[in-house]
C-alpha cells in the first residue's frame, strides 16, 4: 500500500528524500507517523518520558539509516514501528516479568486523544487490527500480545501461562495466520 | 515455523497499527528536527555522576569570573527591571563553547530546549584524542562543583552531536576535558580545554 498524506509525498519518495538528507522529509515522516510511533512506544512502556526517548532515537535512526532503506524488506512505516518496538522492548527487559506481563495484557482503552491530522486510513487499519485481535480465542490473543507488547519469548510465555512450549507455538502460529488472513481480507494492511 | 520466522511475519508487525493513538508532546517534533539539523548523529550521554569538586585554580577562576559576570548582569537586570515587567524566559536558548590551547580550533553550539529540559551540543573541529583517551563533558555549578555528564569521541570529520537529557538550570559553565577512556573519570583531572558560559 503506497501511502500519501494530504497530497504529500509517497513513503517511497520520502524514503528517497531522507537518504538525500532532506530535512523537510523528516518533518513530513514525523507528521505522518509520529503519533503512531509514540503510541506504540507508550503502549509498550507505559512511560511518557521513555516513550519520547524511544521515538527520538527511532526517528534519528531512520534519518541516519535512510540510505540503507530497502523497500523490498518492508515499508517505511513498518521499519519505523519495528525500530520503535525493538527499542521499547530493550528498555522493558529491565523490568520484572510481572510488570511486563501486566503492561502487555492491559486492555486497549478507547482513544483518549486522536491526532488532529490522523488519517481516515489509519483509523480503518486500527479498527481492523483491533477487530482481528478481538476475534481470536483468548489464549491466542494473549500469546501474541505477550510476544509483541511484552517482548516475551515463546518459552517465557509457556512459563507464564503454564502450558507446554509446543502449545504456545501452536497458538502463535494459529493467531498470526488468522490475523494475516483477516487483515488481507480487509485489504487494509500490508500483510 | 521457527519463532524468529513467526515474529518476522507482517501480521505480527501489523499489531502496531492496532494501538490506540496518543498525540506525542509538541516539543518532541522540535527535538527530533533540531537533532537532525545538527548532524543527526546523537550520542545519548550516560547518567549524571555524583558531584565532585573542581579544585584546580585556573578553571575555578574561569568559573568565578562567570559568576561575577552573572552577578553584574543580574544587578543590571534588576536596575532595568524595576519599572518594567520582565520578559518571559525563552524556551529555546543558544550559546557556544570555544576551544583553547591545543584545542583552539574546536567550537560547539548548544541548543538548550528549556521547555523540555534537554540540550543538544554540536561539536566541530574536534581532533581524535590520544590513544586510550576520551573527551568528557562537565557541567559546572557556581560553586565550582563539576558534574560528569558523559564521554564521547568525534567522528572522522571531527564532529559529534550530544544530547544532554537534563535541565541546565543551576549550572553556569559547560566544559570539556580529555580523560582516560573508555568510561572517563568521576572528577576532572585537567584544565578544561573547551568551555563556555551557559546562557
Amino acid at each position: 500500500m503506497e501511502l500519501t498524506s494530504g497530497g504529500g509525498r509517497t513513503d517511497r519518495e520520502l524514503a528517497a528524500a531522507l537518504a538525500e538528507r532532506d530535512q523537510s522529509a523528516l518533518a513530513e515522516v514525523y507528521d505522518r507517523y509520529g503519533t503512531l510511533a509514540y503510541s506504540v512506544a507508550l503502549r509498550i512502556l507505559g512511560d511518557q518520558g521513555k516513550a519520547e526517548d524511544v521515538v527520538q532515537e527511532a526517528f534519528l535512526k531512520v534519518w541516519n539509516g535512510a540510505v540503507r532503506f530497502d523497500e523490498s524488506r518492508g515499508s517505511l512505516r513498518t521499519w519505523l514501528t519495528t525500530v520503535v518496538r525493538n527499542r521499547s522492548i530493550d528498555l522493558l527487559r529491565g523490568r520484572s516479568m510481572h510488570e511486563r506481563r501486566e503492561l502487555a495484557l492491559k486492555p486497549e482503552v478507547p482513544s483518549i486523544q486522536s491526532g488532529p491530522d490522523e488519517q481516515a486510513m489509519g483509523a480503518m487499519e486500527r479498527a481492523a487490527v483491533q477487530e482481528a485481535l478481538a476475534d481470536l480465542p483468548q489464549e491466542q490473543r494473549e500469546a501474541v500480545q505477550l510476544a509483541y507488547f511484552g517482548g516475551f519469548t515463546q518459552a517465557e510465555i509457556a512459563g507464564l501461562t503454564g502450558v507446554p512450549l509446543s502449545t504456545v507455538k501452536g497458538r502463535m502460529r494459529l493467531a498470526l495466520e488468522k490475523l494475516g488472513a483477516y487483515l488481507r481480507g480487509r485489504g487494509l494492511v500490508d500483510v | 515455523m521457527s519463532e524468529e520466522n513467526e515474529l518476522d511475519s507482517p501480521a505480527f508487525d501489523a499489531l502496531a497499527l492496532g494501538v490506540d493513538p496518543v498525540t506525542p508532546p509538541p516539543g518532541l517534533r522540535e527535538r527530533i528536527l533540531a537533532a537532525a539539523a545538527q548532524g543527526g548523529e546523537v550520542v545519548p550521554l550516560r547518567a549524571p555522576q555524583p558531584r565532585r569538586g573542581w579544585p584546580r585554580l585556573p578553571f575555578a577562576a574561569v568559573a568565578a569570573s562567570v559568576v561575577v559576570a552573572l552577578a553584574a548582569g543580574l544587578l543590571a537586570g534588576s536596575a532595568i527591571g524595576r519599572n518594567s515587567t520582565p520578559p518571559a524566559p525563552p524556551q529555546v536558548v543558544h550559546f557556544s563553547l570555544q576551544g583553547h590551547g591545543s584545542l583552539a580550533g574546536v567550537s560547539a553550539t548548544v541548543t538548550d530546549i528549556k521547555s523540555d529540559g534537554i540540550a543538544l551540543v554540536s561539536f566541530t573541529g574536534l581532533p581524535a584524542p590520544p590513544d586510550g583517551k576520551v573527551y568528557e563533558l562537565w557541567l559546572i555549578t557556581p560553586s565550582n562543583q563539576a558534574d560528569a555528564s558523559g564521554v564521547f569521541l568525534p567522528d572522522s570529520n571531527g564532529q559529534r552531536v550530544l544530547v544532554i537529557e537534563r535541565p541546565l538550570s543551576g549550572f553556569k559553565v559547560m566544559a570539556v576535558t580529555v580523560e582516560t577512556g573508555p568510561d572517563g573519570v568521576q572528577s576532572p583531572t585537567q584544565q578544561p580545554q573547551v568551555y563556555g558560559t551557559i546562557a
Side-chain angles (χ1 to χ4, degrees), chain A residues 27-45:
Chain A
E28 201 168 333
V29 172
Y30 182 89
D31 292 341
R32 189 171 298 175
Y33 298 127
T35 295
L36 173 64
Y38 180 71
S39 304
V40 170
L42 188 60
R43 170 68 178 82
I44 293 172
L45 291 164

Side-chain angles (χ1 to χ4, degrees), chain B residues 94-184:
Chain B
H94 302 275
F95 59 94
S96 62
L97 311 182
Q98 285 299 322
H100 302 270
S102 62
L103 295 181
V106 177
S107 64
T109 57
V110 183
T111 302
D112 181 8
I113 307 174
K114 293 183 179 298
S115 50
D116 286 351
I118 192 169
L120 304 166
V121 189
S122 177
F123 287 94
T124 59
L126 279 168
D131 285 348
K133 300 287 187 178
V134 293
Y135 290 110
E136 187 154 6
L137 187 76
W138 305 92
L139 294 173
I140 316 298
T141 70
S143 57
N144 299 333
Q145 299 295 311
D147 267 21
S149 296
V151 297
F152 62 98
L153 293 169
D155 65 17
S156 57
N157 296 316
Q159 298 178 335
R160 179 59 72 198
V161 177
L162 308 176
V163 176
I164 302 175
E165 296 181 293
R166 61 190 300 195
L168 301 185
S169 57
F171 297 102
K172 299 306 177 191
V173 174
M174 184 179 291
V176 175
T177 60
V178 177
E179 304 291 355
T180 301
D183 297 325

